[in-house]
């Protein structure tokens, strides 16, 4: 059982690597790194039996990166272009992550979202985000353009994006390869339904099911910085 959990945890932390100039161009920049701090010590004790031989501080910090607001992301870290690497998920609290199966639930979310994203044709070539210092943002989701303005709340790790059609909160968490931009499942469903309608796909039942199965989990996109 420990080996199974360890394999799951490794899978959670693995991201696709590489570079991409893509639809939004290559605006380079450097990533910051986070620290788990005292919260890492708490979760280290709770998850120690699961982590086994992988229970290093780096692994614990990586798990903390799944919790919204646990590892601070400064606004300046958002600036530039980002491209999609894989489905993303984030927890709303460290308590939820620490529950038995929390990390496995994260991996399950990603595994269930991946075929949906693949069916819609979402890839790093056509799904990208860009944030500027003057609070403008542009995005493509499966090549469908979005643009508008944004504000960022670093304490709650929340980007408030506003377009002519809608406004939404986007939650920011740190990953080993960049950042994850996640949404409340109902808001992600709206975005994907719009993509599906323009792509000729008729159903996104999986996203709706996940929102019921994993209360307190945000769903979205793992992103890497364009080089």
């Amino acid at each position: 059982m420990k080996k199974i959990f360890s394999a799951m945890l490794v899978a959670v932390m693995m991201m696709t690597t590489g570079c991409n100039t893509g639809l939004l161009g290559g605006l380079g920049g450097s990533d910051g790194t986070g620290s788990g701090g005292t919260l890492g010590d708490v979760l280290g004790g709770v998850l120690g039996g699961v982590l086994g031989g992988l229970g290093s501080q780096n692994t614990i910090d990586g798990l903390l990166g799944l919790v919204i607001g646990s590892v601070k992301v400064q606004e300046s870290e958002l600036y530039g272009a980002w491209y999609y690497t894989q489905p993303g998920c984030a927890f709303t609290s460290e308590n939820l992550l620490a529950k038995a199966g929390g990390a496995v639930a994260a991996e399950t979310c990603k595994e269930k979202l991946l075929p949906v994203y693949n069916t819609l044709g979402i890839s790093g070539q056509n799904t990208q985000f860009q944030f500027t210092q003057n609070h403008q943002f542009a995005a493509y989701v499966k090549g469908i353009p979005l643009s508008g303005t944004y504000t960022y709340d670093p304490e709650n790790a929340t980007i408030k994006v506003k377009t002519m059609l809608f406004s939404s909160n986007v939650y920011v968490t740190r990953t080993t390869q960049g950042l994850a931009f996640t949404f409340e499942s109902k808001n992600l469903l709206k975005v994907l339904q719009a993509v599906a309608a323009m792509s000729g796909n008729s159903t996104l039942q999986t996203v709706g099911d996940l929102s019921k199965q994993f209360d307190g989990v945000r769903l979205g996109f793992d992103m890497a910085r364009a080089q």
Side-chain angles (χ1 to χ4, degrees):
M1 182 63 71
K2 183 180 293 185
K3 291 183 179 179
I4 294 174
F5 276 119
S6 296
M8 289 290 189
L9 291 168
V10 171
V12 170
M13 301 314 304
M14 291 182 66
M15 305 291 171
T16 302
T17 58
C19 61
N20 193 314
T21 54
L23 297 170
L24 296 174
L27 297 180
S30 61
D31 269 342
T33 57
S35 172
T38 57
L39 185 56
D41 296 334
V42 173
L43 275 184
V46 174
L47 296 174
V50 176
L51 292 172
L54 297 176
S56 67
Q57 188 63 45
N58 287 339
T59 303
I60 294 169
D61 288 347
L63 289 172
L64 284 171
L66 295 173
V67 180
I68 296 168
S70 65
V71 180
K72 298 301 180 186
V73 177
Q74 301 304 314
E75 181 177 308
S76 59
E77 295 181 67
L78 302 178
Y79 302 156
W82 300 86
Y83 68 94
Y84 164 83
T85 60
Q86 68 173 357
C89 73
F91 293 84
T92 55
S93 74
E94 63 271 17
N95 290 332
L96 183 62
L97 174 62
K99 287 182 179 178
V104 176
E107 182 63 13
T108 300
C109 286
K110 292 187 179 189
E111 288 178 348
K112 290 192 175 182
L113 283 176
L114 184 59
V116 175
Y117 287 10
N118 288 344
T119 297
L120 293 175
I122 291 174
S123 72
Q125 299 295 327
N126 61 32
T127 300
Q128 302 175 21
F129 291 78
Q130 184 180 46
F131 299 93
T132 69
Q133 295 185 43
N134 62 348
H135 295 104
Q136 301 293 310
F137 91 92
Y140 288 88
V141 180
K142 210 272 179 175
I144 297 171
L146 298 169
S147 63
T149 61
Y150 78 92
T151 57
Y152 181 59
D153 176 1
E155 289 303 312
N156 295 304
T158 305
I159 307 171
K160 179 80 170 186
V161 298
K162 185 178 294 186
T163 74
M164 293 184 64
L165 299 177
F166 68 92
S167 61
S168 177
N169 287 330
V170 182
Y171 302 95
V172 184
T173 50
R174 198 185 303 281
T175 72
T176 57
Q177 297 298 324
L179 298 175
F181 300 144
T182 58
F183 305 76
E184 294 180 18
S185 55
K186 64 180 180 180
N187 288 338
L188 177 64
L189 185 57
K190 290 178 182 178
V191 172
L192 295 183
Q193 282 174 333
V195 173
M198 299 183 74
S199 303
N201 291 283
S202 59
T203 180
L204 289 169
Q205 187 63 42
T206 296
V207 178
D209 290 342
L210 284 174
S211 66
K212 298 173 184 176
Q213 293 175 27
F214 302 114
D215 185 33
V217 177
R218 301 291 184 253
L219 306 173
F221 310 99
D222 280 358
M223 312 292 288
R225 187 181 292 278
Q227 301 296 326

